[in-house]
Amino acid sequence: QLTQSPSSLSASVGDRVTITCRASQGMSRYLAWYQQKPGQAPKVLIYSTSTLQTGVPSRFSASGSGTYFTLTINSLQPEDFATYYCQQFNSYSLTFGGGTKVEIK
Amino acid sequence: QVQLVESGGGVVQSGGSLRLSCAASGFNFNTYGMHWVRQAPGKGLEWVALIWYDASDKYYADAVKGRFTISRDNSKNTVYLEMNNLRAEDTAIYYCGRRERSHVDLWGQGVLVSVSS
C-alpha cells in the first residue's frame, strides 16, 4: 500500500513543491511518478525512483528509498497544476498511491 | 506515430459483458507486456491486469479475478479485456498501457465503461 501526502495542496507559480509517498513495507527502487491532468491519461514523469522520463522538464526530481519517497517540483509552472500519483511495482502488479492534487493558490 | 487507442466502452447493465480493445501502433507491439488500468469517476488509478508480451503469463487484480480476461493478438497489434458479470463498482475509465520494466511508459486515451444497476 502506498500513502501519498498531502492529498491536495495549493501553491503559486514559482513555488517549490514536495509530495511524499510512503510504502507500508520496504520496497525495491521501482517507484514511479505520474502526472494526470483533467480529462487526460496519466503521463510518467519519473521511474526507478529518480530517473527522469525523456522529455520531462528538469524542474521535476525525485528521490527516496525503503518506505519513503518524494517528488519535488522546482519553480512550479502553470502547466504543472495537475494530480500526481506514485506507483510501485511488485513482480507483476502495479500499486498506485491515492494521488496529490496540486492547485493554484 | 507511437500510440495506443482503446475502444469498446459503453453503458451496460449490471451482470452484463463488454469487450475492450486497445490497438497499438508505431512500435514493436509483440515485444511489450501490456497493462489495463482503470479509474473510477473522481477516484485514483487502479491496476486491473497484465499480459506478457507473448501471452505466456496473465495476472489480475483480486477485484476482477474470475470475471475479467486479458488477451492479445500480436498479428493485429491489439490487446483485449473481456469483462463479464459487470458490477456497478466496475464503472470507470479503462486505460491500456505499455509495460516498461516497472512502470507504464505509454498510455491510451482511455475508454469509459458505465455499469448501470
Side-chain angles (χ1 to χ4, degrees):
Chain A
Q1 186 164 344
L2 296 178
T3 303
Q4 283 184 240
S5 60
S7 56
S8 66
L9 64 91
S10 295
S12 300
V13 173
D15 283 354
R16 183 181 191 218
V17 166
T18 298
I19 298 167
T20 66
C21 179
R22 292 180 185 271
S24 57
Q25 55 187 357
M27 51 181 285
S28 69
R29 61 184 175 84
Y30 293 127
L31 188 101
W33 291 93
Y34 299 87
Q35 176 193 68
Q36 186 179 34
K37 296 179 180 180
Q40 296 185 17
K43 165 190 165 185
V44 64
L45 302 173
I46 304 276
Y47 62 93
S48 295
T49 300
S50 59
T51 303
L52 201 64
Q53 176 74 356
T54 302
V56 173
S58 59
R59 62 180 179 274
F60 292 92
S61 64
S63 64
S65 64
T67 62
Y68 184 79
F69 299 84
T70 62
L71 171 71
T72 298
I73 310 172
N74 284 300
S75 188
L76 200 65
Q77 296 301 298
E79 60 268 30
D80 300 337
F81 292 95
T83 300
Y84 294 84
Y85 295 93
C86 58
Q87 171 252 304
Q88 74 172 41
F89 172 69
N90 290 319
S91 299
Y92 57 84
S93 66
L94 307 176
T95 301
F96 294 92
T100 296
K101 186 173 185 179
V102 177
E103 299 176 299
I104 301 172
K105 183 183 284 185
Chain B
Q1 184 180 0
V2 177
Q3 64 177 1
L4 299 169
V5 178
E6 300 97 336
S7 61
V11 180
V12 61
Q13 285 194 326
S14 180
S17 299
L18 214 53
R19 188 177 85 154
L20 305 183
S21 299
C22 168
S25 58
F27 64 96
N28 292 328
F29 178 73
N30 60 8
T31 64
Y32 286 91
M34 296 295 295
H35 292 280
W36 284 96
V37 174
R38 68 185 180 182
Q39 187 170 35
K43 302 297 183 182
L45 301 167
E46 179 187 19
W47 175 77
V48 173
L50 164 67
I51 186 167
W52 241 229
Y53 69 98
D54 59 355
S56 59
D57 281 301
K58 305 172 186 180
Y59 303 94
Y60 300 92
D62 288 344
V64 307
K65 202 171 293 182
R67 300 187 298 122
F68 290 13
T69 301
I70 190 171
S71 62
R72 65 190 295 158
D73 185 339
N74 284 346
S75 68
K76 296 182 178 179
N77 288 350
T78 301
V79 61
Y80 304 97
L81 187 68
E82 183 78 35
M83 304 183 294
N84 297 317
N85 192 19
L86 282 160
R87 307 166 180 167
E89 56 265 35
D90 295 319
T91 294
I93 295 172
Y94 285 73
Y95 298 99
C96 63
R98 185 174 73 178
R99 176 181 180 263
E100 177 57 52
R101 286 176 286 178
S102 61
H103 61 283
V104 177
D105 72 334
L106 178 67
W107 296 73
Q109 85 286 356
V111 63
L112 179 62
V113 172
S114 182
V115 183
S116 63
S117 53

